Amino acid sequence: MLILAMAAAGESRPVEVVPSVDLNRYQGTWYEIARFPNRFQRKCQGDTTATYTLRPDGKVTVVNRCREESGSFNTATGTARLASKDGPNAKLKVTFFWPFSGDYWIIGLDPGYRWALVGDPARKYLWILSREPRMDDAEYQRVVDLARGQGFDVSRLLRTKQGGA
């Protein structure tokens, strides 16, 4: 009963983002370690990456790539921008199909930019990203615990197969 009360309390608090993000350090390729199931990745079977490139206009080009069951790769290209000029730069809006956009909130970030935890304010989406295709089990558990502390139902996480693993 106490666990249920703690989970409910976590879900009633707003999702918190990291204080700030150095977008120059954040750009580059990230490997998906785990995610919540979602409709736009339903065909992804593994080898999932997200590559971010900072643009001169301050926006970020986003290239998501994954291997499908057939073995071929699916690539989607979009654009990210700050959600608000006055808000933290850890809250982004990502658009793959204009005019629709989704929340991309960086809610956890390793000081060395080795991993990132990305979610949304409704707790519908969650991704664990790493600079390497694999994450140490202890580190993974720390990131999962961080998500749980933010009120995410971490039982929904699916581990991503990387490099045939």
Side-chain angles (χ1 to χ4, degrees):
M1 193 62 130
L2 178 61
I3 292 173
L4 291 175
M6 289 171 53
E11 288 181 18
S12 65
R13 286 190 346 254
V15 174
E16 295 179 23
V17 297
V18 298
S20 69
V21 177
D22 179 343
L23 293 177
N24 282 310
R25 290 183 71 192
Y26 197 82
Q27 71 178 336
T29 298
W30 292 86
Y31 295 87
E32 182 184 274
I33 300 301
R35 71 170 186 270
F36 278 1
N38 60 69
R39 63 179 167 70
F40 44 88
Q41 285 185 282
R42 68 183 174 275
K43 293 183 179 181
C44 293
Q45 298 296 309
D47 297 323
T48 304
T49 59
T51 302
Y52 306 108
T53 307
L54 200 53
R55 299 176 1 177
D57 64 2
K59 295 180 181 177
V60 178
T61 297
V62 180
V63 179
N64 290 341
R65 184 175 188 256
C66 73
R67 183 180 36 77
E68 295 184 343
E69 192 172 342
S70 67
S72 64
F73 280 87
N74 181 327
T75 302
T77 302
T79 303
R81 61 175 170 75
L82 294 180
S84 167
K85 291 180 183 178
D86 301 325
N89 72 343
K91 290 182 179 181
L92 301 168
K93 289 282 192 183
V94 178
T95 301
F96 286 97
F97 306 103
W98 188 86
F100 305 104
S101 65
D103 292 306
Y104 182 104
W105 287 17
I106 303 168
I107 61 175
L109 184 60
D110 175 70
Y113 286 66
R114 294 178 304 125
W115 57 260
L117 181 62
V118 177
D120 74 306
R123 296 180 177 88
K124 182 177 179 182
Y125 302 104
L126 187 69
W127 290 270
I128 297 175
L129 306 175
S130 173
R131 291 295 190 177
E132 301 294 326
R134 288 174 184 69
M135 182 181 275
D136 171 84
D137 287 340
E139 187 95 67
Y140 176 78
Q141 194 56 55
R142 281 192 291 276
V143 178
V144 169
D145 289 344
L146 180 61
R148 182 182 294 112
Q150 287 258 23
F152 285 83
D153 177 5
V154 297
S155 69
R156 296 182 52 219
L157 279 168
L158 300 174
R159 294 290 294 256
T160 304
K161 295 177 185 175
Q162 293 287 359

